[in-house]
Amino acid sequence: QVQLVESGGGLVQAGGSLRLSCAASGNIFNVTVMGWYRQAPGKQRELVALIGNGGSTNYADSVKGRFTISRDNAKNTWYLQMNSLKPEDTAVYYCNAERKSGPYSVRYIYWGQGTQVTVSS
């Protein structure tokens, strides 16, 4: 059983900061990509940030310069530091992990349950 659990969400005023954590447990290894996604009311789920196994990162244009993704492989944990939060950042945030396994390199994708981030104006 593989389980991803987010924490750190909550309510914050515009301009404030939050740090989200995603802790993975179970039989998970050879993770290639860790990520954060979000889904706002009435909108599609969108990519927020990705971090590869080698440490390379990608960010959505809307969060560049404000959000930072990081990881701790030893703890099977990754983070999303969110600064200068805006009301439009309000969404359910989901952590994600991707790995490949087996002789056919089967792709496995795991999702957390989501954590609510609400930014008030």
Side-chain angles (χ1 to χ4, degrees), residues 2-4 14 29 33-34 37-38 40 45 51 53 66 71 76 80 82 84 90-94 106 115:
V2 175
Q3 194 168 22
L4 274 55
F29 55 91
V33 179
M34 303 172 182
Y37 294 73
R38 68 186 181 186
R45 185 176 298 188
I51 185 165
N53 217 22
R66 300 188 298 120
R71 59 171 170 79
N76 285 330
L80 185 69
M82 304 185 293
S84 301
T90 295
V92 177
Y93 284 71
Y94 300 88
V106 176
T115 185

Side-chain angles (χ1 to χ4, degrees), residues 8 21 27 29 40 43 48 61 63 71 75 84 91 94 96 107 110:
S21 299
N27 189 22
F29 55 91
K43 296 184 178 180
V48 176
D61 288 341
V63 307
R71 59 171 170 79
K75 297 180 180 179
S84 301
Y94 300 88
N96 158 272
R107 185 184 181 192
Y110 307 96

Side-chain angles (χ1 to χ4, degrees), residues 44-58:
Q44 296 288 320
R45 185 176 298 188
E46 65 174 343
L47 171 68
V48 176
L50 295 174
I51 185 165
N53 217 22
S56 61
T57 58
N58 287 297

Side-chain angles (χ1 to χ4, degrees), residues 52-113:
N53 217 22
S56 61
T57 58
N58 287 297
Y59 297 93
D61 288 341
S62 59
V63 307
K64 286 181 179 177
R66 300 188 298 120
F67 291 10
T68 303
I69 187 171
S70 61
R71 59 171 170 79
D72 186 337
N73 288 337
K75 297 180 180 179
N76 285 330
T77 302
W78 53 107
Y79 309 92
L80 185 69
Q81 178 67 47
M82 304 185 293
N83 298 325
S84 301
L85 283 162
K86 305 174 181 178
E88 51 262 44
D89 294 318
T90 295
V92 177
Y93 284 71
Y94 300 88
C95 64
N96 158 272
E98 180 177 329
R99 61 183 287 263
K100 294 181 179 179
S101 181
Y104 300 101
S105 192
V106 176
R107 185 184 181 192
Y108 295 89
I109 301 175
Y110 307 96
W111 292 93
Q113 297 298 312

